[in-house]
Each structure stands twice: as C-alpha cells, then as structure tokens.
Amino acid sequence: MPNQASTSSFVTSIASEIKKGTVENGRVYAAYGNHEYGLPVDDYELDRLDMNHQKYTLLQGNRLFLAPITPTPQKILDLGTGTGTTWCALVLLTCSSLVKGIFAIDIADMYPSAKVIGTDIAPVQPQWVPTNCQFEIEDAEDEWTFQKNDFDYIHGRDFYQSIRDWRRLVQQSYDHLKPGGYLELACVYPVPRCDDETLPQDCAYVEVCQTFQEIGAKMEADPDAPLHFHEHMREAGFANVSQTILKIPTSPWPKDRRLKKVGALELMNLMEGAQGFLLRGYTKEFGRTREELELLLMRMRKELTTQKYHSYVSFYVVYGQKPEDKSQSAEDI
C-alpha cells in the first residue's frame, strides 16, 4: 500500500503547483486543464475582467443575465466563473473567464435558496463568500460528475481560447438541466465592425483582432463559436432559443450615455488587456517576440485614444430552455 504521508505530500505538491500556475513572458497562466488556455490568470488579468463584469452588466441594461429563469432557483451551474464574478448560484464550471468574486457573491445573496458552487481551472476565487457559495477546481470539458436533470440554470461567458468541443458542452448542459431550466451562453465576437466607414481595415486595431482570431484557430478553439451557439442549442434539443446581439463600442464615441460608458470601459479593456489576449499565442503559436507585439499594441493604443474610429464588436447572448415535455419543439426567436 502507498505510504499515506507520501501520498499526502504528493497531493499537497500538486495543489501548490496548480495554485502558483506557470509563468511565461512575465505573465502567469493556469497550470490545470485538458487544454492550454490562452489568457493569463494573474492579478492584471483578474482586475481587467472584474471591470468587464461591470461593462457587461451595463451593456445588458443593468441585468446580470437575460434568460427568464425561475424566481426561486435551487441549483445553478456557471461555465466560466474564474474568480467568481461570472455566474454562480449552484455550480460554476469553467476553463476560462477569470474575474473576481463579486458576481458569485451577489447572486448567492440574490438567491439565498440556491446553493452556489464555483469551479475553474485556476484557484483564483475569494475565501470569504456567502454560506451558500463555494468554489472547486474543475475543467468544463471533462465529463461532468454532477447529477443530471438537476440545474435550474447554466451560464457560460467569454470562453476565449478555451472550449474545443462546443457541441459536447451544450449537450452536457442539456443533460444536467431540469426540464424547464435554461442554458445561457454569452461571448464577445471580436471582429470589429463600423457603420460609417471610419474604420480603416489596415489599422493596428483590426490587426490585433485578426491576430486574436488566428491564435484561437491555431489552438483549435473555434474563433467563430458565438455565431453557432443558437445552432448547437437547437441540435441538442433546446426549445425557445433566443439570440440577442449587442454592440460594444471600441471607445466612448457614441452619443448615447449608456453606450458611451460601455465604450469607455471597452477602451480600458483593450488598453489594459490586449497584451494578455495575444502574448501567449503570439509567441508560442506564431513564434514572434514580445517586443514585436508591444510595437503593434503601441500603434493600436495611439489609434484608439483619438476616438476617430466609430467601431464596435458584437456581444452574443443566446439562451434556450430544456423542454418541460418532449412535445415542446425547439425554435429560434
């Protein structure tokens, strides 16, 4: 039989390695998960994503989510909890979306009837949380060990360079929802658009977005995944599939006050986060240098601060309901 002390020491060592992560080019990345995750998990990234949580809430009209879930959920599964700021009200399960524990804590307080469990590939969650909220280290692409037909709501947001098999993820979500429960997936589609021809296609901002897409493709993480969320849900058997596409301005160029605030947050997101979006893939997948990337980002920052580009990216929010009975058919709204 294995020595108990040796086994305990080995487990402690592995846990320590997961907690520390791995360091590349001065940034910290997750050390757990079936696939390499392209974005860092250090304090710089967590602060950026904490701000992003506020941006998405504002973008959605001060709503945390769009699905018409039951007012008294008992179990909720979040795919993409990170530090807990993305959805959490029974189980948060992810391999991306690393933010701070504000969202999970707020939802646990909002729904005291719901047990909250957050899981992620990086142990970046807070220690002090409501009694109905807890966190675990899990990879969303593993076989789920949770009870089937058990969740009122499953949510996932911003799986950048993470999920390799979306159909399987959606199917597992369907299997683990209660009849009548909802799956909601939300993600930015980082392809810049412009309605007044002020965005030149040869600018650094467009190159940054294209590079991010190419890195995802190189990592076999579908860069066009948000475009297919509704299709995957219908194929899995979801009913009442609804897709909402919201515009995120690249900077505070809009006249509308709410969108101007969203644009200001997005500008900060790009200024502070673009290096994290690209650094790992730029150096490992493309064999380029950090110095080359910094020159590209310097050009992009100079461009965006002028606010002369009236550009935006699309934020896809898609939800579907597991039928109450088998006669309920899947449909798009």
Side-chain angles (χ1 to χ4, degrees):
M1 293 181 62
N3 182 278
Q4 186 173 358
S6 298
T7 301
S8 177
S9 176
F10 176 73
V11 171
T12 300
S13 176
I14 293 296
S16 178
E17 288 182 18
I18 293 173
K19 187 171 184 177
K20 288 189 297 184
T22 60
V23 179
E24 298 175 12
N25 292 302
R27 302 298 299 265
V28 180
Y29 295 85
Y32 181 80
N34 294 323
H35 303 291
E36 183 174 271
Y37 175 51
L39 275 66
V41 297
D42 50 30
D43 287 343
Y44 298 107
E45 178 70 358
L46 302 184
D47 287 343
R48 180 190 71 82
L49 287 167
D50 197 16
M51 176 196 66
N52 259 6
H53 172 66
Q54 305 302 322
K55 180 184 70 181
Y56 292 140
T57 302
L58 181 60
L59 180 67
Q60 295 180 144
N62 294 320
R63 291 176 290 177
L64 294 175
F65 57 94
L66 299 186
I69 69 172
T70 172
T72 56
Q74 299 300 305
K75 294 185 177 181
I76 300 174
L77 169 63
D78 183 35
L79 308 172
T81 187
T83 56
T85 38
T86 73
W87 245 95
C88 177
L90 162 79
V91 180
L92 303 101
L93 176 71
T94 187
C95 47
S96 73
S97 257
L98 303 165
V99 223
K100 294 197 173 177
I102 302 169
F103 195 98
I105 293 169
D106 284 351
I107 295 306
D109 287 337
M110 183 184 299
Y111 295 115
S113 62
K115 181 180 178 182
V116 178
I117 302 173
T119 76
D120 202 287
I121 59 169
V124 291
Q125 297 78 31
Q127 293 183 343
W128 300 102
V129 297
T131 56
N132 61 323
C133 181
Q134 66 186 72
F135 301 100
E136 299 176 2
I137 304 301
E138 292 287 348
D139 187 329
E141 295 209 273
D142 283 340
E143 187 70 26
W144 297 0
T145 58
F146 309 115
Q147 183 177 336
K148 293 185 177 181
N149 301 302
D150 201 38
F151 297 101
D152 298 287
Y153 180 60
I154 298 177
H155 179 274
R157 186 170 72 192
D158 278 358
F159 286 103
Y160 293 133
Q161 300 174 359
S162 53
I163 303 301
R164 269 59 174 185
D165 190 344
W166 279 100
R167 285 184 171 84
R168 181 171 182 266
L169 185 75
V170 172
Q171 187 62 59
Q172 285 209 90
S173 299
Y174 183 91
D175 293 341
H176 287 79
L177 280 168
K178 296 176 181 177
Y182 284 87
L183 167 65
E184 181 168 338
L185 298 175
C187 193
V188 169
Y189 184 50
V191 174
R193 300 186 180 279
C194 181
D195 298 331
D196 62 4
E197 300 182 354
T198 57
L199 180 69
Q201 292 304 301
D202 60 351
C203 68
Y205 171 57
V206 170
E207 183 177 346
V208 164
C209 292
Q210 290 175 340
T211 302
F212 184 62
Q213 292 283 92
E214 291 168 3
I215 289 171
K218 282 271 189 179
M219 297 175 66
E220 298 184 346
D222 183 8
D224 296 328
L227 306 183
H228 307 296
F229 288 164
H230 66 290
E231 174 187 344
H232 297 328
M233 288 190 193
R234 291 201 317 271
E235 289 177 350
F238 282 95
N240 302 320
V241 179
S242 174
Q243 175 173 276
T244 300
I245 305 174
L246 302 169
K247 293 181 179 181
I248 300 178
T250 306
S251 67
W253 61 261
K255 294 181 180 180
D256 178 85
R257 291 186 62 185
R258 181 176 62 87
L259 288 179
K260 185 177 287 292
K261 291 180 181 178
V262 171
L265 291 170
E266 174 64 3
L267 179 60
M268 190 179 301
N269 173 53
L270 292 166
M271 294 295 199
E272 301 294 329
Q275 185 204 70
F277 301 159
L278 302 178
L279 185 57
R280 189 177 216 181
Y282 200 80
T283 55
K284 294 185 70 173
E285 303 296 338
F286 292 161
R288 309 288 291 276
T289 67
R290 180 169 181 166
E291 289 72 24
E292 289 177 285
L293 175 60
E294 293 298 346
L295 288 173
L296 172 62
L297 297 180
M298 188 182 304
R299 287 172 46 215
M300 182 201 73
R301 293 181 183 117
K302 185 177 180 180
E303 292 171 355
L304 295 184
T305 51
T306 67
Q307 299 184 33
K308 63 182 180 181
Y309 301 156
H310 296 168
S311 53
Y312 60 89
V313 291
S314 300
F315 185 61
Y316 281 73
V317 184
V318 183
Y319 64 77
Q321 184 181 32
K322 184 172 182 175
E324 294 277 5
D325 57 68
K326 293 184 178 180
S327 64
Q328 190 177 0
S329 61
E331 60 181 272
D332 264 343
I333 297 177

PDB file of all heavy atoms in Angstrom, residues 158-180:
ATOM      1  N   ASP A 158     -17.741  34.292 -22.188  1.00  0.00           N
ATOM      2  CA  ASP A 158     -16.390  34.628 -22.651  1.00  0.00           C
ATOM      3  C   ASP A 158     -15.396  33.481 -22.519  1.00  0.00           C
ATOM      4  O   ASP A 158     -14.377  33.592 -21.836  1.00  0.00           O
ATOM      5  CB  ASP A 158     -15.865  35.862 -21.900  1.00  0.00           C
ATOM      6  CG  ASP A 158     -16.375  37.152 -22.504  1.00  0.00           C
ATOM      7  OD1 ASP A 158     -17.095  37.091 -23.528  1.00  0.00           O
ATOM      8  OD2 ASP A 158     -16.055  38.229 -21.972  1.00  0.00           O
ATOM      9  N   PHE A 159     -15.694  32.384 -23.199  1.00  0.00           N
ATOM     10  CA  PHE A 159     -14.753  31.260 -23.228  1.00  0.00           C
ATOM     11  C   PHE A 159     -13.672  31.503 -24.283  1.00  0.00           C
ATOM     12  O   PHE A 159     -13.556  30.765 -25.257  1.00  0.00           O
ATOM     13  CB  PHE A 159     -15.497  29.962 -23.563  1.00  0.00           C
ATOM     14  CG  PHE A 159     -16.316  29.440 -22.416  1.00  0.00           C
ATOM     15  CD1 PHE A 159     -17.693  29.610 -22.406  1.00  0.00           C
ATOM     16  CD2 PHE A 159     -15.731  28.771 -21.374  1.00  0.00           C
ATOM     17  CE1 PHE A 159     -18.458  29.120 -21.362  1.00  0.00           C
ATOM     18  CE2 PHE A 159     -16.487  28.275 -20.323  1.00  0.00           C
ATOM     19  CZ  PHE A 159     -17.854  28.455 -20.317  1.00  0.00           C
ATOM     20  N   TYR A 160     -12.910  32.549 -24.097  1.00  0.00           N
ATOM     21  CA  TYR A 160     -11.857  32.877 -25.056  1.00  0.00           C
ATOM     22  C   TYR A 160     -10.808  31.771 -25.095  1.00  0.00           C
ATOM     23  O   TYR A 160     -10.237  31.398 -24.074  1.00  0.00           O
ATOM     24  CB  TYR A 160     -11.174  34.188 -24.682  1.00  0.00           C
ATOM     25  CG  TYR A 160     -12.042  35.413 -24.810  1.00  0.00           C
ATOM     26  CD1 TYR A 160     -12.098  36.344 -23.790  1.00  0.00           C
ATOM     27  CD2 TYR A 160     -12.800  35.647 -25.952  1.00  0.00           C
ATOM     28  CE1 TYR A 160     -12.880  37.486 -23.908  1.00  0.00           C
ATOM     29  CE2 TYR A 160     -13.580  36.774 -26.075  1.00  0.00           C
ATOM     30  CZ  TYR A 160     -13.615  37.690 -25.050  1.00  0.00           C
ATOM     31  OH  TYR A 160     -14.398  38.811 -25.161  1.00  0.00           O
ATOM     32  N   GLN A 161     -10.540  31.260 -26.281  1.00  0.00           N
ATOM     33  CA  GLN A 161      -9.459  30.302 -26.498  1.00  0.00           C
ATOM     34  C   GLN A 161      -9.495  29.171 -25.464  1.00  0.00           C
ATOM     35  O   GLN A 161      -8.481  28.819 -24.873  1.00  0.00           O
ATOM     36  CB  GLN A 161      -8.111  31.022 -26.460  1.00  0.00           C
ATOM     37  CG  GLN A 161      -7.981  32.099 -27.518  1.00  0.00           C
ATOM     38  CD  GLN A 161      -6.716  32.919 -27.391  1.00  0.00           C
ATOM     39  OE1 GLN A 161      -5.918  32.705 -26.491  1.00  0.00           O
ATOM     40  NE2 GLN A 161      -6.512  33.853 -28.302  1.00  0.00           N
ATOM     41  N   SER A 162     -10.658  28.584 -25.293  1.00  0.00           N
ATOM     42  CA  SER A 162     -10.781  27.564 -24.246  1.00  0.00           C
ATOM     43  C   SER A 162     -11.518  26.318 -24.697  1.00  0.00           C
ATOM     44  O   SER A 162     -10.948  25.235 -24.699  1.00  0.00           O
ATOM     45  CB  SER A 162     -11.454  28.154 -23.005  1.00  0.00           C
ATOM     46  OG  SER A 162     -12.674  28.771 -23.351  1.00  0.00           O
ATOM     47  N   ILE A 163     -12.791  26.436 -25.092  1.00  0.00           N
ATOM     48  CA  ILE A 163     -13.600  25.264 -25.405  1.00  0.00           C
ATOM     49  C   ILE A 163     -13.237  24.734 -26.791  1.00  0.00           C
ATOM     50  O   ILE A 163     -13.202  25.466 -27.758  1.00  0.00           O
ATOM     51  CB  ILE A 163     -15.104  25.598 -25.351  1.00  0.00           C
ATOM     52  CG1 ILE A 163     -15.467  26.147 -23.968  1.00  0.00           C
ATOM     53  CG2 ILE A 163     -15.939  24.359 -25.681  1.00  0.00           C
ATOM     54  CD1 ILE A 163     -15.173  25.196 -22.829  1.00  0.00           C
ATOM     55  N   ARG A 164     -12.996  23.412 -26.855  1.00  0.00           N
ATOM     56  CA  ARG A 164     -12.674  22.770 -28.138  1.00  0.00           C
ATOM     57  C   ARG A 164     -13.878  22.056 -28.738  1.00  0.00           C
ATOM     58  O   ARG A 164     -13.971  21.926 -29.951  1.00  0.00           O
ATOM     59  CB  ARG A 164     -11.537  21.761 -27.956  1.00  0.00           C
ATOM     60  CG  ARG A 164     -10.130  22.310 -28.158  1.00  0.00           C
ATOM     61  CD  ARG A 164      -9.808  23.448 -27.228  1.00  0.00           C
ATOM     62  NE  ARG A 164      -8.399  23.862 -27.342  1.00  0.00           N
ATOM     63  CZ  ARG A 164      -7.840  24.763 -26.566  1.00  0.00           C
ATOM     64  NH1 ARG A 164      -8.543  25.357 -25.627  1.00  0.00           N
ATOM     65  NH2 ARG A 164      -6.572  25.094 -26.733  1.00  0.00           N
ATOM     66  N   ASP A 165     -14.789  21.579 -27.918  1.00  0.00           N
ATOM     67  CA  ASP A 165     -15.947  20.834 -28.419  1.00  0.00           C
ATOM     68  C   ASP A 165     -17.223  21.468 -27.863  1.00  0.00           C
ATOM     69  O   ASP A 165     -17.727  21.078 -26.813  1.00  0.00           O
ATOM     70  CB  ASP A 165     -15.841  19.361 -28.008  1.00  0.00           C
ATOM     71  CG  ASP A 165     -16.882  18.479 -28.687  1.00  0.00           C
ATOM     72  OD1 ASP A 165     -17.863  19.030 -29.237  1.00  0.00           O
ATOM     73  OD2 ASP A 165     -16.712  17.244 -28.671  1.00  0.00           O
ATOM     74  N   TRP A 166     -17.741  22.451 -28.587  1.00  0.00           N
ATOM     75  CA  TRP A 166     -18.918  23.178 -28.121  1.00  0.00           C
ATOM     76  C   TRP A 166     -20.168  22.308 -28.112  1.00  0.00           C
ATOM     77  O   TRP A 166     -21.012  22.435 -27.218  1.00  0.00           O
ATOM     78  CB  TRP A 166     -19.150  24.402 -28.998  1.00  0.00           C
ATOM     79  CG  TRP A 166     -18.282  25.555 -28.610  1.00  0.00           C
ATOM     80  CD1 TRP A 166     -17.125  25.967 -29.201  1.00  0.00           C
ATOM     81  CD2 TRP A 166     -18.493  26.439 -27.501  1.00  0.00           C
ATOM     82  NE1 TRP A 166     -16.600  27.051 -28.541  1.00  0.00           N
ATOM     83  CE2 TRP A 166     -17.429  27.367 -27.499  1.00  0.00           C
ATOM     84  CE3 TRP A 166     -19.487  26.542 -26.533  1.00  0.00           C
ATOM     85  CZ2 TRP A 166     -17.331  28.387 -26.553  1.00  0.00           C
ATOM     86  CZ3 TRP A 166     -19.387  27.549 -25.590  1.00  0.00           C
ATOM     87  CH2 TRP A 166     -18.319  28.453 -25.602  1.00  0.00           C
ATOM     88  N   ARG A 167     -20.309  21.430 -29.098  1.00  0.00           N
ATOM     89  CA  ARG A 167     -21.497  20.565 -29.133  1.00  0.00           C
ATOM     90  C   ARG A 167     -21.577  19.700 -27.879  1.00  0.00           C
ATOM     91  O   ARG A 167     -22.649  19.525 -27.302  1.00  0.00           O
ATOM     92  CB  ARG A 167     -21.479  19.699 -30.394  1.00  0.00           C
ATOM     93  CG  ARG A 167     -21.839  20.443 -31.672  1.00  0.00           C
ATOM     94  CD  ARG A 167     -21.903  19.500 -32.861  1.00  0.00           C
ATOM     95  NE  ARG A 167     -22.452  20.162 -34.049  1.00  0.00           N
ATOM     96  CZ  ARG A 167     -21.733  20.904 -34.887  1.00  0.00           C
ATOM     97  NH1 ARG A 167     -20.427  21.060 -34.667  1.00  0.00           N
ATOM     98  NH2 ARG A 167     -22.295  21.477 -35.928  1.00  0.00           N
ATOM     99  N   ARG A 168     -20.440  19.162 -27.470  1.00  0.00           N
ATOM    100  CA  ARG A 168     -20.418  18.325 -26.270  1.00  0.00           C
ATOM    101  C   ARG A 168     -20.752  19.149 -25.039  1.00  0.00           C
ATOM    102  O   ARG A 168     -21.501  18.695 -24.151  1.00  0.00           O
ATOM    103  CB  ARG A 168     -19.043  17.668 -26.119  1.00  0.00           C
ATOM    104  CG  ARG A 168     -18.924  16.742 -24.906  1.00  0.00           C
ATOM    105  CD  ARG A 168     -17.611  15.969 -24.955  1.00  0.00           C
ATOM    106  NE  ARG A 168     -17.493  15.045 -23.834  1.00  0.00           N
ATOM    107  CZ  ARG A 168     -16.885  15.336 -22.686  1.00  0.00           C
ATOM    108  NH1 ARG A 168     -16.350  16.541 -22.511  1.00  0.00           N
ATOM    109  NH2 ARG A 168     -16.809  14.438 -21.722  1.00  0.00           N
ATOM    110  N   LEU A 169     -20.225  20.367 -24.955  1.00  0.00           N
ATOM    111  CA  LEU A 169     -20.501  21.224 -23.813  1.00  0.00           C
ATOM    112  C   LEU A 169     -21.982  21.550 -23.716  1.00  0.00           C
ATOM    113  O   LEU A 169     -22.586  21.482 -22.640  1.00  0.00           O
ATOM    114  CB  LEU A 169     -19.697  22.521 -23.924  1.00  0.00           C
ATOM    115  CG  LEU A 169     -19.802  23.463 -22.729  1.00  0.00           C
ATOM    116  CD1 LEU A 169     -18.984  22.938 -21.563  1.00  0.00           C
ATOM    117  CD2 LEU A 169     -19.348  24.868 -23.107  1.00  0.00           C
ATOM    118  N   VAL A 170     -22.592  21.886 -24.845  1.00  0.00           N
ATOM    119  CA  VAL A 170     -24.020  22.219 -24.867  1.00  0.00           C
ATOM    120  C   VAL A 170     -24.853  20.984 -24.528  1.00  0.00           C
ATOM    121  O   VAL A 170     -25.850  21.072 -23.796  1.00  0.00           O
ATOM    122  CB  VAL A 170     -24.417  22.802 -26.235  1.00  0.00           C
ATOM    123  CG1 VAL A 170     -25.931  22.959 -26.344  1.00  0.00           C
ATOM    124  CG2 VAL A 170     -23.736  24.155 -26.448  1.00  0.00           C
ATOM    125  N   GLN A 171     -24.444  19.822 -25.042  1.00  0.00           N
ATOM    126  CA  GLN A 171     -25.187  18.596 -24.758  1.00  0.00           C
ATOM    127  C   GLN A 171     -25.114  18.232 -23.278  1.00  0.00           C
ATOM    128  O   GLN A 171     -26.106  17.820 -22.668  1.00  0.00           O
ATOM    129  CB  GLN A 171     -24.662  17.431 -25.600  1.00  0.00           C
ATOM    130  CG  GLN A 171     -25.481  16.157 -25.480  1.00  0.00           C
ATOM    131  CD  GLN A 171     -26.911  16.338 -25.956  1.00  0.00           C
ATOM    132  OE1 GLN A 171     -27.156  16.693 -27.113  1.00  0.00           O
ATOM    133  NE2 GLN A 171     -27.879  16.097 -25.078  1.00  0.00           N
ATOM    134  N   GLN A 172     -23.922  18.386 -22.684  1.00  0.00           N
ATOM    135  CA  GLN A 172     -23.805  18.116 -21.249  1.00  0.00           C
ATOM    136  C   GLN A 172     -24.676  19.085 -20.448  1.00  0.00           C
ATOM    137  O   GLN A 172     -25.286  18.691 -19.443  1.00  0.00           O
ATOM    138  CB  GLN A 172     -22.345  18.238 -20.795  1.00  0.00           C
ATOM    139  CG  GLN A 172     -21.448  17.082 -21.207  1.00  0.00           C
ATOM    140  CD  GLN A 172     -20.313  16.862 -20.228  1.00  0.00           C
ATOM    141  OE1 GLN A 172     -20.441  16.096 -19.271  1.00  0.00           O
ATOM    142  NE2 GLN A 172     -19.196  17.513 -20.475  1.00  0.00           N
ATOM    143  N   SER A 173     -24.737  20.316 -20.903  1.00  0.00           N
ATOM    144  CA  SER A 173     -25.597  21.293 -20.223  1.00  0.00           C
ATOM    145  C   SER A 173     -27.057  20.851 -20.293  1.00  0.00           C
ATOM    146  O   SER A 173     -27.783  20.904 -19.289  1.00  0.00           O
ATOM    147  CB  SER A 173     -25.435  22.669 -20.873  1.00  0.00           C
ATOM    148  OG  SER A 173     -24.109  23.137 -20.768  1.00  0.00           O
ATOM    149  N   TYR A 174     -27.485  20.420 -21.470  1.00  0.00           N
ATOM    150  CA  TYR A 174     -28.864  19.954 -21.650  1.00  0.00           C
ATOM    151  C   TYR A 174     -29.156  18.787 -20.703  1.00  0.00           C
ATOM    152  O   TYR A 174     -30.197  18.759 -20.031  1.00  0.00           O
ATOM    153  CB  TYR A 174     -29.075  19.514 -23.092  1.00  0.00           C
ATOM    154  CG  TYR A 174     -30.481  19.075 -23.424  1.00  0.00           C
ATOM    155  CD1 TYR A 174     -31.421  19.984 -23.902  1.00  0.00           C
ATOM    156  CD2 TYR A 174     -30.869  17.746 -23.252  1.00  0.00           C
ATOM    157  CE1 TYR A 174     -32.721  19.584 -24.196  1.00  0.00           C
ATOM    158  CE2 TYR A 174     -32.155  17.327 -23.546  1.00  0.00           C
ATOM    159  CZ  TYR A 174     -33.080  18.252 -24.016  1.00  0.00           C
ATOM    160  OH  TYR A 174     -34.356  17.843 -24.305  1.00  0.00           O
ATOM    161  N   ASP A 175     -28.234  17.836 -20.641  1.00  0.00           N
ATOM    162  CA  ASP A 175     -28.447  16.643 -19.817  1.00  0.00           C
ATOM    163  C   ASP A 175     -28.539  16.965 -18.331  1.00  0.00           C
ATOM    164  O   ASP A 175     -29.217  16.260 -17.580  1.00  0.00           O
ATOM    165  CB  ASP A 175     -27.307  15.647 -20.041  1.00  0.00           C
ATOM    166  CG  ASP A 175     -27.297  15.067 -21.455  1.00  0.00           C
ATOM    167  OD1 ASP A 175     -28.349  15.140 -22.133  1.00  0.00           O
ATOM    168  OD2 ASP A 175     -26.249  14.544 -21.876  1.00  0.00           O
ATOM    169  N   HIS A 176     -27.863  18.033 -17.905  1.00  0.00           N
ATOM    170  CA  HIS A 176     -27.811  18.337 -16.480  1.00  0.00           C
ATOM    171  C   HIS A 176     -28.835  19.372 -16.036  1.00  0.00           C
ATOM    172  O   HIS A 176     -28.961  19.654 -14.838  1.00  0.00           O
ATOM    173  CB  HIS A 176     -26.398  18.785 -16.093  1.00  0.00           C
ATOM    174  CG  HIS A 176     -25.398  17.658 -16.073  1.00  0.00           C
ATOM    175  ND1 HIS A 176     -24.831  17.152 -17.212  1.00  0.00           N
ATOM    176  CD2 HIS A 176     -24.896  16.931 -15.040  1.00  0.00           C
ATOM    177  CE1 HIS A 176     -24.009  16.164 -16.892  1.00  0.00           C
ATOM    178  NE2 HIS A 176     -24.039  16.009 -15.594  1.00  0.00           N
ATOM    179  N   LEU A 177     -29.584  19.920 -16.981  1.00  0.00           N
ATOM    180  CA  LEU A 177     -30.653  20.852 -16.628  1.00  0.00           C
ATOM    181  C   LEU A 177     -31.926  20.107 -16.244  1.00  0.00           C
ATOM    182  O   LEU A 177     -32.230  19.046 -16.788  1.00  0.00           O
ATOM    183  CB  LEU A 177     -30.965  21.777 -17.807  1.00  0.00           C
ATOM    184  CG  LEU A 177     -30.052  22.972 -18.040  1.00  0.00           C
ATOM    185  CD1 LEU A 177     -30.341  23.583 -19.402  1.00  0.00           C
ATOM    186  CD2 LEU A 177     -30.221  24.012 -16.932  1.00  0.00           C
ATOM    187  N   LYS A 178     -32.688  20.685 -15.338  1.00  0.00           N
ATOM    188  CA  LYS A 178     -34.034  20.204 -15.081  1.00  0.00           C
ATOM    189  C   LYS A 178     -34.918  20.527 -16.287  1.00  0.00           C
ATOM    190  O   LYS A 178     -34.660  21.492 -17.002  1.00  0.00           O
ATOM    191  CB  LYS A 178     -34.634  20.907 -13.860  1.00  0.00           C
ATOM    192  CG  LYS A 178     -33.958  20.657 -12.528  1.00  0.00           C
ATOM    193  CD  LYS A 178     -34.632  21.514 -11.464  1.00  0.00           C
ATOM    194  CE  LYS A 178     -33.970  21.328 -10.109  1.00  0.00           C
ATOM    195  NZ  LYS A 178     -34.575  22.227  -9.083  1.00  0.00           N
ATOM    196  N   PRO A 179     -35.972  19.765 -16.548  1.00  0.00           N
ATOM    197  CA  PRO A 179     -36.957  20.195 -17.549  1.00  0.00           C
ATOM    198  C   PRO A 179     -37.469  21.595 -17.189  1.00  0.00           C
ATOM    199  O   PRO A 179     -37.844  21.854 -16.049  1.00  0.00           O
ATOM    200  CB  PRO A 179     -38.050  19.141 -17.429  1.00  0.00           C
ATOM    201  CG  PRO A 179     -37.333  17.919 -16.945  1.00  0.00           C
ATOM    202  CD  PRO A 179     -36.283  18.422 -15.992  1.00  0.00           C
ATOM    203  N   GLY A 180     -37.437  22.495 -18.154  1.00  0.00           N
ATOM    204  CA  GLY A 180     -37.828  23.873 -17.914  1.00  0.00           C
ATOM    205  C   GLY A 180     -36.667  24.787 -17.568  1.00  0.00           C
ATOM    206  O   GLY A 180     -36.820  26.013 -17.540  1.00  0.00           O
TER     207      GLY A 180
END
